[in-house]
Amino acid sequence: MSSGLEIRWHGRGGQGAKTAALLLADAAFKTGQYVQGFPEYGPERMGAPITAYNRISKEPIRVHSNIYTPNLVLVVDETLLHSVDVTAGLRRDGAAIINTPKAKQEILPYLNGYQGSVYTLDARKISEEALGRNFPNSPMLAAAVAVSGVMGRDAFMKEMRALFAHKFAKKPEVIDGNMKALSMAYDRLEEALKHEMKKSA
């Protein structure tokens, strides 16, 4: 695939990384793009490391392999930084987003000298504030869209509300919480992006 966006997700079983990848694919598809969203199957047990992938393109996608040189990496569980080379193959003009309360400078030593953009987001804090529980995948999903620009914010929020309405048809009370988590995370990353642009200006 010569154009488009390739994303790799790192998480642990039960944290929703696979779900986030599938939701992102659904939302991008609804905005008229060609998509893939799939997990790399390993031991499917709670807490085991898992990897999931997205390809999103305005052109038909003819590649069906795993993703080895992603534009964007999302790490849903920062403890994986101690055991997984999360930046392996990550393009220098790409970005990594890490779910952590720590500052970027504290995370950099675990990224094997990666020279591209790195963003941190306390997805746990956001999800607990918005949903009352630790569901980091919604904030991380919003972060992926904010950093990649794969679709506009309004289109993303509109499609996610529709997807949540379907997914949580029997639990409508959680829709607003998930939407709040998306919005809060998007705001944080927009702020971080503006700050980075000012520094490089």
Side-chain angles (χ1 to χ4, degrees):
M1 190 170 84
S2 58
S3 63
L5 176 70
E6 294 187 323
I7 300 175
R8 189 172 67 222
W9 298 77
H10 294 280
R12 293 188 183 277
Q15 292 177 329
K18 179 175 81 170
T19 300
L22 297 177
L23 284 169
L24 179 56
D26 283 344
F29 178 75
K30 295 283 180 58
T31 65
Q33 302 187 74
Y34 294 90
V35 302
Q36 289 178 357
F38 56 97
E40 179 176 5
Y41 286 104
E44 290 293 297
R45 64 182 190 277
M46 190 74 74
I50 70 110
T51 312
Y53 304 93
N54 284 112
R55 283 190 178 94
I56 302 171
S57 177
K58 295 194 176 352
E59 306 294 330
I61 300 170
R62 309 200 188 282
V63 182
H64 296 281
S65 63
N66 284 353
I67 290 170
Y68 302 104
T69 55
N71 309 92
L72 182 62
V73 162
L74 291 107
V75 182
V76 184
D77 188 319
E78 72 169 297
T79 65
L80 291 168
L81 298 178
H82 302 285
S83 57
V84 177
D85 182 4
V86 298
T87 56
L90 179 57
R91 300 178 203 184
R92 186 165 177 175
D93 61 351
I97 307 172
I98 318 295
N99 171 21
T100 177
K102 295 172 184 163
K104 170 183 169 179
Q105 296 306 320
E106 295 178 78
I107 293 299
L108 289 177
Y110 300 100
L111 299 183
N112 294 314
Y114 179 62
Q115 299 293 307
S117 298
V118 175
Y119 303 95
T120 60
L121 177 74
D122 193 345
R124 177 179 188 138
K125 183 178 179 184
I126 288 172
S127 66
E128 287 179 345
E129 184 177 329
L131 288 154
R133 293 178 64 185
N134 181 23
F135 290 118
N137 59 338
S138 281
M140 294 299 284
L141 175 53
V145 175
V147 170
S148 68
V150 70
M151 66 190 93
R153 179 173 183 155
D154 290 346
F156 171 63
M157 298 300 277
K158 176 188 168 192
E159 297 306 338
M160 288 308 301
R161 183 170 282 282
L163 287 166
F164 285 147
H166 177 72
K167 181 177 170 64
F168 300 119
K170 294 183 178 175
K171 295 190 286 184
E173 67 278 2
V174 304
I175 296 171
D176 285 343
N178 272 285
M179 294 304 297
K180 182 180 178 183
L182 292 177
S183 187
M184 288 172 68
Y186 208 110
D187 286 345
R188 303 277 165 86
L189 266 297
E190 273 192 330
E191 212 173 280
L193 287 161
K194 283 176 190 169
H195 180 68
E196 191 173 81
M197 283 174 70
K198 276 184 190 171
K199 277 176 67 179
S200 60

